Amino acid sequence: MGIDKKKVENIKGIKIIKGDFLDKSVKEEAIKYFGSKIDVILSDMASNTSGNKSLDSLRTNQLCLNILEFAKEVLNKNGVVIAKIFMGEDFNEIKINARKNFKKMDFFKPKSSRQESREIYIHCQGLST
């Protein structure tokens, strides 16, 4: 999973953390910045594509599972997670994980997403633990 090396302009009032989300230090930086529970986690992350749709789906969906695990640590009790996933063989694993850890869970496909694309988004709200 590569990191986009493009320069990101600073935006007043916005904290941009560049790095690999699977790297523990990136998660720690986010936790340190917020210093308390988070209301919303919005993830549009996807792994670099390899051309193998099954592999690409597995990699991107693993990022989604990591976001859901991270959310259990940092999200407010009634917080929201929205994350990109790809329809694939591990879709049910994501659904099971979300249902176990959140009070509400559903999926949506934004109008901006190409119809033939396998991408959809999961919306979870309210930690169940």
Side-chain angles (χ1 to χ4, degrees):
M1 282 165 248
I3 300 168
D4 188 358
K5 300 291 184 191
K6 295 177 194 169
K7 180 173 169 65
V8 177
E9 303 261 340
N10 287 332
I11 302 169
K12 186 177 179 182
I14 303 292
K15 170 71 172 174
I16 298 171
I17 301 171
K18 287 180 69 173
D20 185 337
F21 183 74
L22 300 178
D23 181 343
K24 185 178 177 181
S25 67
V26 172
K27 293 176 189 175
E28 289 172 349
E29 185 177 351
I31 292 167
K32 181 180 174 185
Y33 174 76
F34 286 101
S36 64
K37 295 293 184 175
I38 297 171
D39 294 320
V40 176
I41 296 174
L42 176 61
S43 170
D44 192 40
M45 291 189 292
S47 69
N48 290 337
T49 56
S50 67
N52 179 325
K53 290 185 180 198
S54 182
L55 179 61
D56 296 341
S57 173
L58 286 168
R59 288 180 175 168
T60 295
N61 290 351
Q62 186 59 53
L63 287 170
C64 178
L65 286 169
N66 276 275
I67 285 290
L68 295 177
E69 287 301 310
F70 180 68
K72 289 183 344 187
E73 298 175 40
V74 301
L75 200 64
N76 279 331
K77 184 178 179 180
N78 293 313
V80 172
V81 176
I82 298 174
K84 179 187 290 190
I85 63 172
F86 288 145
M87 294 299 292
E89 57 195 69
D90 54 351
F91 177 75
N92 281 334
E93 181 182 354
I94 293 169
K95 270 183 18 181
I96 290 166
N97 181 296
R99 282 194 176 127
K100 182 174 96 175
N101 295 302
F102 293 90
K103 294 175 184 169
K104 296 179 184 176
M105 184 262 320
D106 60 346
F107 299 93
F108 66 95
K109 185 171 184 77
K111 290 178 183 177
S112 61
S113 178
R114 293 175 318 208
Q115 201 57 33
E116 67 274 8
S117 171
R118 298 172 76 187
E119 82 174 359
I120 62 171
Y121 289 78
I122 186 169
H123 167 253
C124 302
Q125 185 170 3
L127 290 170
S128 58
T129 55

